[in-house]
Amino acid sequence: MNRVLRIDSSITGDNSVSRQLASELIERLSAKEGEEGITLVERDFAKQPIPHLDGERLGALFVAAEARTPEQAEAVAFADTLIEELVDADTVVITLPMYNFSVPSMLKAWIDHVARAGVTFKYTESGVVGLLENKKVYLVSALGGIHEAGVTDFMRPYIKQVLGFLGITDVESISAEGLNMGDEARAEGLSKARSEIQQAVA
Ligand SMILES: Cc1cc2nc3c(=O)[nH]c(=O)nc-3n(C[C@H](O)[C@H](O)[C@H](O)COP(=O)(O)O)c2cc1C
């Protein structure tokens, strides 16, 4: 059974291109599994906002479980749930709308919750080791303009760095670029992304 975790970070709801493309990708992934299908877990930040990892939430992680206040217990349980969803997934589909050259701030907050020393990565004498293995990640990006990695695109390189840090190296990128550059550029960007989806689930 292919357990798929879908993470949506666009704030534009049904008008979101990254959401639309991710739905098309997941439909194909499901069809490929045949009768068994997929088990889909959805984490949609537009419906359930992700809070920042503030001092209270970080501090709660260092309080013994039996000594936590109800608020601290709730904060830890929330982050634990995000981690469990990620750990349990075979496949993760992350939608990536570009906001100000980088990832949406709630996606950054999600990363701050799930990157936890001793749980999703660990420090060793020879360096950091990611603890999340055997997962496939699809990054479904939507960009108003056209951007080059490391020059004006800090989104795709950043998320790949974070995933690698956690041990996830099987990452496939699907990108729709030039969406706000006029009808022709938009159509071209969408068409390229759709052919990347086809190739990804061939
Ligand atoms: C707050 C905000 C910031 C944006 N910043 C950028 C940007 O830096 N570069 C860019 O090419 N497009 C930018 N855009 C355009 C989006 O990347 C584009 O609309 C894309 O389709 C968003 O993905 P979505 O359709 O899934 O919401 C921005 C859009 C918003 C709402």
Side-chain angles (χ1 to χ4, degrees), residues 16-57:
S16 155
V17 172
S18 61
R19 265 170 218 275
Q20 176 58 42
L21 293 171
S23 296
E24 293 172 24
L25 170 67
I26 289 169
E27 239 170 68
R28 282 178 179 270
L29 289 173
S30 179
K32 199 180 173 188
E33 292 292 321
E35 273 186 19
E36 216 180 332
I38 58 169
T39 304
L40 184 63
V41 172
E42 296 179 83
R43 180 58 68 175
D44 186 341
F45 304 163
K47 291 185 186 144
Q48 289 177 291
I50 301 287
H52 285 301
L53 177 67
D54 58 14
E56 299 283 319
R57 286 177 178 273

Side-chain angles (χ1 to χ4, degrees), residues 9-13 15-20 95-102 140-147 152 176 178-180 186:
S9 57
S10 171
I11 54 175
T12 59
N15 292 326
S16 155
V17 172
S18 61
R19 265 170 218 275
Q20 176 58 42
T95 58
L96 274 184
M98 177 179 270
Y99 290 168
N100 297 309
F101 310 103
S102 189
V140 182
S141 305
L143 301 82
I146 295 174
H147 297 272
T152 54
L179 296 172
N180 298 350
R186 185 182 176 87

